[in-house]
Amino acid sequence: MIKHNIKLALRSFMRHKSSFFINLIGLSTGLACALLILLWARDEMKMDKLFALDDRIFQVMEHQDYSDGILTTKSTPGPLSSALVEEIPEIEYAITIIDPGKYNLRVDKKSIRASGVYVGKDYFKIFDLPLINGNSDQILSADNNIAISESLAKSLFGTADQAIGQAIEFEGVDLYTINGIFEDLPDNFSQNFDFLLPYEPYYQENIAWLSNWGSNSPHTMVLLAQGANEDLVNEKIGDFIKKRVENSQVTLFLKKYSDLHLYGNYRNGKQAGGRIEYVRLFSLIAIFILFIACINFMNLSTARASRRAKEVGVKKTIGARQQSLIYQFLSESILLTLVSLIIALSLVQLTLPQFNLLTNKQIALDFSTDLVLIFLGISIITGLIAGSYPALYLSSINPINVLKGTMKSSLGELWVRKGLVVFQFTISFILIAAVLIVFKQIQYIQNQQIGYDKDQLVYFNRDGRLQNQIEAFFTQAKELEGVQNISSIAHNLVGQQNNTRSVEWEGKDPTLDLLFENVRVNYDLLETIGIDLKEGRAFSREYGTDSSAILLNETAVSIIGMTEPVGQRIKIFGEEREIIGVIKDFQFQSARQEIKPLFFQLVPHYSWLMMASLEKGKESVGLKNLETLYESFNPGFAFDYSFVDEQYAKQYVAEQRVGVLSRYFAGIAIIISCLGLFGLAIFTAERRKKEIGIRKVLGATIQNILTLLTKDFIGIVLFAILVGLPIAYILSKNWLNRFVFKIDLDIGYFGLAALLMLIIAILTIGSQALQAARMAPKEYLRNE
Amino acid sequence: MIHLKNIARYYKRGFQKSWVLKDISLDINEGEFVTIMGPSGAGKTTLLNIIGMLDQADGGEYTFMHEPVHRFNERRRNELHKHHIGFVFQAYHLIDDLTVYENIETPLLYRGIKGKDRKSMVAEVLDRFNIVAKKDLFPEQLSGGQQQLVGIARAIVGRPKLLLADEPTGNLHTQQGIEIMDLFKQLHADGMTIIQVTHSEENAKYGERIVRLLDGFVRQDESSAKEEKSVS
């Protein structure tokens, strides 16, 4: 029986080639989309779940309770890890991790800038990264130990085998001995570094701020003891910091390390999504696209039912029961999806490199058993869904009517078909509208005036001799062609970097507890990055007292509530400062946040980043000159720079990815929908042949016939737009709510989306309709 | 073999019932060759469909081989139907996508007959009807007479007890028609019960009993030699 069904299915494919190809193209692109999204979602789900002790690895996080809400952060105090191990028996190991930095490494004459991280000595006991060489118990046990990746070893020594025990010069001063070599980090690990250094000596060097329980910066990870209860530990560590710091508003809690990747966002102290939202969103889109392809199959199969009806009728008269006919039609649709799966897999293989580029992943199509089973499962379910309605519909045909030739399409059946097409175009419309709005919003935030000239700004580390001879560097750099101005700053002004709540002023509400962004700068910084002063003056070498001066932004002034701020005094870290000027608000975080209060203080000593503005049109000359100057100060150091605008744009990487991906998905959805529409148009033109012939004989023009054939479809598409409009509006409004700075949700975007879709739909059915309308009437009536 | 008692069938047209069969009582014995005749709209095909269990009566009793069909559900009717009844149509109604061989084989598939047995049963019929050479052709490659030959082959391959034929020669030339009717005669001679519907007096002569319908009643049953008057 199966053989019989497959044979019939294949012959039916051959006989109805146009529907077959429409279905094949639709289902295989739909499946390819779904498989790509599946691979991506699987990759996302596997992120950071690679360690043997996964369920015992936790990140210690903080809820900080301020007047404007709870801030949740991974930043913790420097002494936390050792105190946790000492006092909480359930914590087996705890390590501190300092944010990665780019450092200069040298072996003989070979200099490399690589990404390094200071970590607690028990790092490898928690994260069991595979080692090529070294003993995981003591890789970082001595102060001068370093662990490097296989590729770093290869680029420094040519081979990983002989690197162990060798010495590396670090930042031109310290010497480290290689005590371990680890395999290059796997793609599903979110930490990113080329080498690791021990945290303990770093702590001693920076004891001034790292030993301070009130200062939060490094990350802390713990390994719970076997069988330890997470809730119990949470209870024990909750007030850990409050016990040590007076007036502390910090509550500690554990977050499973491998959950952070997908569930990393917090809003006012509550877990609020994260990348899981995108996993869900794209999975939903995958399901919709597949369903759109299924609808094509349903519609085309039922539309040409009259051709299959005879087969059904005959079979019923020779003893077929409805059940076996359902079975037959389902095997036909499943066969079709299995063929589509093969094509889809080749499409996936073909597009994976591009897809990886778009999503910044290294996904490969592997044929492990579970994946093959999932692929087959998805195909079969798709086949069942696609085949369900046609199978029920076709198998319930009454043989007497068919064999008499009096079968008519029922009204209900027409409604189902129209409803399905409406569904397809509703989804397509929502996707098109979403694409337009995401695109506009990204364009808006990229081009938003953020309050300083980020476009020509370049920054690099103040390292080597620059640390002590910065003034000499400034003087020479300012003379260089292509360099407009230069200064230094503590960090790069993108995102929250350093902040404090110890800002006091006269008349401050004692319950007010707010974070002020603390930016430590050198002279000329305002001039270099082009921030405008609202009143007062900037830091200047002409005033000897500027180390006790301060600049506030407008938001800070309005929070403090001063009408004449310049010349007044406030206290920062308990020290009195004089406000010498007010700077206009500028965006130092992303468009997702309100502008927060901020102050600039002059601390040349802590300004670790060199910040230079290049002359427009002479950027490459300026850069080249800077590099030459840098190398004359720091021979043996690689000149490693970044542009502020690129750094700024990186904040929107996720949105941009969503933008690009949704463009592709929307394109595919509309193509598949139009394929279905095309199939229906062919069918309608054929079915109404006789009517068209008669109308033409009676004097109808080509235009009359065109209107007759297209108005139904256009009505359907218009109806779909009507249905999709509120959904698209609500969805885009929700998405835009992530941003404080956003475009107005103009009806024009939806109008444009609607227009685009109508044009595409008209083009799709127009050609068919025109062909039918042009044919001479005798062609239609001849058969009668 | 067949016992019909007060069979009635109507269709709803709007709010009105339109009676096709009003009161049909009929007994047909095994081995008979019965012809049902009557003008268009007399209910011939409807009666044939009810006997063939493709359609159900709205009233009356139908006993087939001592089984009360009117009390059966769809599943049991289907069982009876597929094991004992073969159908031949005026328009042949072969499945376009199947070859001659496969068309003949299909009813056996639905009876769940094993592959080996199917092969020999189909081969036997092909041989008997002299169409072995045509077995791999598709219906559209055959003449009308040949298609009807295949139609009959398909109807009898499962060795049914009852063969129902609805205007089997209606679409055929005279000569082809004669050949088909000769075939029916031969099948009858071999013991098959046959009921045919036809307009042709010529074809009716092949049978041994003529039932004439008019407006949903049996007007005349010639072998019983007495007229049954309408009771309305």
Side-chain angles (χ1 to χ4, degrees):
Chain A
M1 193 58 112
I2 288 181
K3 227 172 87 188
H4 172 86
N5 287 344
I6 291 177
K7 202 155 55 187
L8 260 177
L10 290 178
R11 287 187 193 151
S12 154
F13 295 160
M14 295 310 288
R15 190 177 287 265
H16 311 294
K17 286 197 184 73
S18 63
S19 341
F20 171 66
F21 280 112
I22 286 171
N23 281 326
L24 192 68
I25 294 170
L27 283 170
S28 44
T29 39
L31 271 176
C33 259
L35 297 188
L36 278 175
I37 290 172
L38 171 83
L39 288 170
W40 173 79
R42 217 168 89 104
D43 195 84
E44 282 286 301
M45 305 291 231
K46 282 201 305 198
M47 203 67 178
D48 287 333
K49 292 201 176 93
L50 64 160
F51 299 105
L53 305 172
D54 175 60
D55 55 339
R56 288 162 57 196
I57 303 175
F58 288 83
Q59 176 126 19
V60 182
M61 297 185 56
E62 291 188 353
H63 288 313
Q64 302 180 357
D65 203 347
Y66 296 106
S67 305
D68 58 349
I70 295 174
L71 176 79
T72 303
T73 171
K74 295 181 208 168
S75 298
T76 51
L80 179 64
S81 60
S82 50
L84 282 176
V85 172
E86 259 170 51
E87 292 182 28
I88 315 285
E90 287 90 346
I91 292 179
E92 193 168 330
Y93 294 110
I95 55 164
T96 306
I97 298 184
I98 301 282
D99 272 348
K102 284 262 185 185
Y103 302 103
N104 204 73
L105 299 180
R106 195 168 72 90
V107 172
D108 295 330
K109 286 204 174 89
K110 200 168 218 169
S111 277
I112 286 179
R113 232 171 230 290
S115 165
V117 178
Y118 289 96
V119 298
K121 63 178 172 6
D122 293 323
Y123 183 87
F124 287 93
K125 288 178 185 153
I126 300 176
F127 301 107
D128 56 335
L129 292 170
L131 295 177
I132 289 181
N133 217 325
N135 176 350
S136 66
D137 282 344
Q138 40 187 303
I139 288 185
L140 297 170
S141 52
D143 286 359
N144 69 340
N145 283 160
I146 182 172
I148 65 176
S149 73
E150 186 181 1
S151 358
L152 182 60
K154 277 184 183 151
S155 32
L156 283 172
F157 302 97
T159 159
D161 301 338
Q162 281 145 40
I164 198 93
Q166 301 268 16
I168 292 184
E169 188 193 278
F170 175 82
E171 288 282 282
V173 269
D174 303 316
L175 270 185
Y176 283 91
T177 308
I178 299 173
N179 199 30
I181 297 166
F182 51 87
E183 282 179 20
D184 286 350
L185 299 180
D187 300 323
N188 58 337
F189 188 29
S190 58
Q191 292 181 32
N192 205 349
F193 50 78
D194 303 307
F195 63 91
L196 293 174
L197 297 170
Y199 169 68
E200 287 72 16
Y202 179 84
Y203 176 82
Q204 294 304 329
E205 268 173 51
N206 297 280
I207 197 152
W209 63 277
L210 274 181
S211 64
N212 181 353
W213 278 93
S215 151
N216 299 298
S217 170
H219 296 179
T220 304
M221 318 254 183
V222 300
L223 182 73
L224 292 192
Q226 195 138 26
N229 183 321
E230 181 190 343
D231 297 331
L232 192 76
V233 178
N234 266 330
E235 235 166 74
K236 287 190 181 180
I237 64 170
D239 293 336
F240 207 77
I241 297 200
K242 287 187 180 134
K243 281 180 201 153
R244 287 163 171 80
V245 180
E246 216 182 317
N247 290 330
S248 169
Q249 79 293 42
V250 173
T251 308
L252 289 184
F253 69 100
L254 294 180
K255 173 85 175 179
K256 194 172 166 213
Y257 178 69
S258 55
D259 282 348
L260 260 174
H261 178 74
L262 288 177
Y263 303 90
N265 290 1
Y266 284 84
R267 199 167 302 132
N268 206 13
K270 294 269 181 314
Q271 210 281 314
R275 293 178 67 105
I276 190 73
E277 291 173 80
Y278 287 118
V279 173
R280 286 186 193 134
L281 177 70
F282 284 125
S283 306
L284 201 65
I285 290 180
I287 290 170
F288 278 143
I289 289 180
L290 261 185
F291 193 57
I292 286 177
C294 288
I295 288 178
N296 280 357
F297 184 90
M298 295 181 192
N299 273 340
L300 295 177
S301 311
T302 50
R304 61 180 171 78
S306 55
R307 301 189 190 176
R308 284 313 275 282
K310 186 181 144 196
E311 181 189 325
V312 173
V314 172
K315 284 193 160 174
K316 282 195 169 177
T317 62
I318 56 178
R321 301 198 59 220
Q322 180 166 10
Q323 203 177 305
S324 66
L325 291 169
I326 289 177
Y327 181 67
Q328 180 197 335
F329 289 116
L330 283 181
S331 25
E332 187 172 317
S333 61
I334 289 172
L335 182 70
L336 183 67
T337 44
L338 289 179
V339 175
S340 305
L341 174 65
I342 295 169
I343 300 174
L345 284 174
S346 356
L347 282 176
V348 168
Q349 190 71 46
L350 220 64
T351 50
L352 252 185
Q354 192 61 32
F355 184 75
N356 277 335
L357 220 58
L358 280 177
T359 53
N360 193 28
K361 293 241 176 223
Q362 278 86 35
I363 302 168
L365 185 60
D366 68 291
F367 288 99
S368 53
T369 329
D370 61 329
L371 213 53
V372 170
L373 285 179
I374 293 173
F375 287 170
L376 283 177
I378 289 180
S379 311
I380 289 171
I381 291 170
T382 308
L384 283 176
I385 293 173
S388 59
Y389 175 59
L392 283 174
Y393 172 71
L394 284 171
S395 65
S396 64
I397 286 171
N398 183 344
I400 296 172
N401 292 343
V402 183
L403 301 179
K404 247 195 236 162
T406 55
M407 199 188 75
K408 274 189 229 127
S409 304
S410 73
L411 213 59
E413 172 213 336
L414 281 175
W415 276 112
V416 171
R417 213 140 68 210
K418 279 184 181 168
L420 290 171
V421 177
V422 165
F423 179 83
Q424 286 183 311
F425 278 87
T426 303
I427 299 291
S428 300
F429 172 73
I430 294 171
L431 282 173
I432 294 177
V435 165
L436 277 176
I437 284 159
V438 171
F439 176 76
K440 276 282 164 196
Q441 170 67 10
I442 290 175
Q443 205 181 34
Y444 171 78
I445 51 184
Q446 298 282 21
N447 299 332
Q448 193 194 6
Q449 290 299 318
I450 60 165
Y452 63 92
D453 304 328
K454 64 178 170 11
D455 294 344
Q456 264 80 38
L457 280 182
V458 63
Y459 64 88
F460 49 96
N461 277 350
R462 175 186 172 184
D463 45 15
R465 282 169 58 210
L466 290 192
Q467 292 177 40
N468 300 322
Q469 301 173 14
I470 193 165
E471 284 299 322
F473 191 87
F474 282 160
T475 321
Q476 291 183 44
K478 279 177 188 171
E479 301 298 314
L480 295 174
E481 193 195 353
V483 179
Q484 229 163 28
N485 211 337
I486 186 160
S487 178
S488 61
I489 188 169
H491 48 76
N492 70 11
L493 285 182
V494 177
Q496 271 186 318
Q497 303 265 6
N498 192 311
N499 35 54
T500 178
R501 59 191 187 111
S502 51
V503 178
E504 309 293 332
W505 60 88
E506 228 184 81
K508 183 184 180 185
D509 175 357
T511 61
L512 189 68
D513 199 357
L514 279 178
L515 272 183
F516 281 65
E517 190 72 6
N518 168 19
V519 190
R520 283 155 295 185
V521 302
N522 210 330
Y523 292 109
D524 296 334
L525 194 271
L526 258 61
E527 295 83 346
T528 302
I529 68 174
I531 290 179
D532 290 333
L533 271 171
K534 196 180 164 210
E535 49 187 308
R537 62 173 180 87
F539 299 119
S540 164
R541 291 180 176 86
E542 286 160 30
Y543 295 81
T545 56
D546 272 1
S547 58
S548 63
I550 198 156
L551 288 168
L552 297 178
N553 72 351
E554 293 168 288
T555 306
V557 170
S558 79
I559 283 173
I560 294 173
M562 289 172 168
T563 41
E564 296 272 336
V566 175
Q568 303 220 45
R569 281 162 191 279
I570 60 172
K571 270 186 180 174
I572 287 172
F573 303 118
E575 285 174 38
E576 200 141 280
R577 301 295 182 97
E578 184 191 342
I579 301 168
I580 58 164
V582 177
I583 49 179
K584 288 202 170 149
D585 274 344
F586 67 93
Q587 184 59 266
F588 65 90
Q589 287 177 273
S590 74
R592 283 181 282 263
Q593 287 98 5
E594 301 273 3
I595 291 176
K596 296 274 165 64
L598 164 148
F599 60 82
F600 275 10
Q601 51 170 333
L602 183 67
V603 194
H605 176 64
Y606 277 137
S607 54
W608 299 293
L609 267 191
M610 308 295 287
M611 184 77 78
S613 62
L614 302 172
E615 220 171 297
K616 205 166 190 164
K618 286 187 182 170
E619 290 91 346
S620 52
V621 186
L623 259 183
K624 191 84 209 124
N625 287 339
L626 271 179
E627 181 172 5
T628 318
L629 183 65
Y630 175 87
E631 277 165 2
S632 75
F633 272 76
N634 283 341
F637 277 47
F639 183 58
D640 186 49
Y641 59 90
S642 312
F643 281 98
V644 171
D645 58 348
E646 286 172 9
Q647 214 56 38
Y648 185 81
K650 269 190 193 167
Q651 298 186 98
Y652 306 119
V653 146
E655 280 83 2
Q656 247 169 342
R657 249 174 228 155
V658 172
V660 176
L661 281 177
S662 56
R663 226 173 295 164
Y664 282 99
F665 293 144
I668 287 166
I670 186 100
I671 287 172
I672 300 178
S673 305
C674 282
L675 269 174
L677 199 61
F678 184 70
L680 280 183
I682 296 178
F683 169 77
T684 312
E686 205 180 291
R687 194 171 50 100
R688 297 176 80 169
K689 250 184 185 177
K690 188 178 157 195
E691 182 194 339
I692 295 167
I694 294 169
R695 281 175 189 268
K696 284 192 93 170
V697 171
L698 295 178
T701 61
I702 290 183
Q703 280 89 338
N704 294 149
I705 305 288
L706 270 181
T707 321
L708 179 79
L709 287 176
T710 50
K711 72 166 193 264
D712 273 6
F713 287 122
I714 290 174
I716 291 176
V717 173
L718 283 175
F719 186 67
I721 290 170
L722 220 60
V723 175
L725 197 63
I727 305 173
Y729 182 82
I730 291 167
L731 289 179
S732 0
K733 204 171 173 67
N734 267 343
W735 185 77
L736 282 176
N737 272 345
R738 296 159 182 259
F739 299 94
V740 172
F741 300 90
K742 59 194 170 196
I743 52 171
D744 293 324
L745 206 48
D746 194 71
I747 193 73
Y749 298 122
F750 301 104
L752 187 59
L755 195 67
L756 268 174
M757 209 170 72
L758 262 182
I759 291 172
I760 297 170
I762 289 173
L763 288 178
T764 309
I765 49 182
S767 60
Q768 266 306 312
L770 194 63
Q771 206 186 339
R774 271 196 185 148
M775 214 178 271
K778 63 169 199 239
E779 299 276 335
Y780 298 122
L781 301 173
R782 201 168 46 191
N783 296 347
E784 296 302 309
Chain B
M1 181 191 210
I2 293 172
H3 172 73
L4 297 175
K5 196 179 163 195
N6 309 119
I7 290 293
R9 182 80 175 101
Y10 60 80
Y11 295 101
K12 273 188 182 146
R13 295 247 163 79
F15 294 106
Q16 283 197 314
K17 284 177 183 174
S18 152
W19 295 85
V20 183
L21 300 178
K22 285 180 184 152
D23 183 9
I24 304 278
S25 296
L26 202 59
D27 283 291
I28 294 169
N29 297 321
E30 197 159 350
E32 271 194 285
F33 187 163
V34 180
T35 305
I36 299 175
M37 299 190 77
S40 294
K44 305 183 296 286
T45 303
T46 305
L47 180 60
L48 200 69
N49 283 339
I50 289 174
I51 294 172
M53 298 171 208
L54 293 180
D55 201 356
Q56 270 181 281
D58 295 307
E61 290 172 13
Y62 173 20
T63 315
F64 179 78
M65 293 173 72
H66 312 296
E67 308 264 16
V69 177
H70 57 276
R71 287 203 204 115
F72 280 11
N73 61 12
E74 196 265 340
R75 187 190 185 86
R76 289 190 68 183
R77 274 203 311 276
N78 175 268
E79 281 299 310
L80 268 183
H81 161 92
K82 77 181 176 196
H83 282 103
H84 302 299
I85 296 172
F87 256 99
V88 176
F89 303 96
Q90 175 176 4
Y92 334 128
H93 287 324
L94 302 179
I95 298 174
D96 300 329
D97 286 341
L98 295 180
T99 63
V100 165
Y101 182 95
E102 290 157 357
N103 261 295
I104 297 174
E105 184 191 26
T106 310
L108 303 180
L109 284 170
Y110 290 115
R111 277 210 213 167
I113 292 170
K114 286 203 186 77
K116 226 174 86 186
D117 298 335
R118 277 203 313 265
K119 233 177 186 168
S120 67
M121 287 167 86
V122 176
E124 191 195 315
V125 175
L126 285 170
D127 188 45
R128 181 168 169 198
F129 285 17
N130 240 329
I131 45 175
V132 178
K134 306 253 183 317
K135 74 176 170 56
D136 292 324
L137 297 181
F138 286 93
E140 60 194 19
Q141 295 166 294
L142 301 176
S143 74
Q146 288 166 337
Q147 287 195 46
Q148 192 58 297
L149 213 53
V150 177
I152 297 170
R154 184 181 63 186
I156 61 143
V157 67
R159 290 161 199 153
K161 290 271 188 311
L162 175 66
L163 185 62
L164 301 174
D166 192 354
E167 296 273 10
T169 63
N171 285 12
L172 298 178
H173 303 306
T174 320
Q175 187 49 41
Q176 289 174 328
I178 291 169
E179 282 166 22
I180 293 297
M181 288 316 297
D182 283 339
L183 190 57
F184 277 117
K185 199 172 170 184
Q186 206 186 321
L187 288 168
H188 176 230
D190 293 345
M192 178 86 74
T193 313
I194 299 175
I195 303 174
Q196 70 162 339
V197 164
T198 186
H199 280 116
S200 152
E201 296 289 345
E202 281 303 308
N203 286 353
K205 286 179 189 157
Y206 285 86
E208 50 197 12
R209 175 180 168 194
I210 298 176
V211 176
R212 292 183 194 275
L213 298 188
L214 187 67
D215 299 332
F217 296 99
V218 175
R219 249 188 72 78
Q220 193 183 42
D221 194 336
E222 275 181 10
S223 75
S224 63
K226 67 174 182 194
E227 259 177 69
E228 288 182 18
K229 290 281 180 199
S230 58
V231 223
S232 64

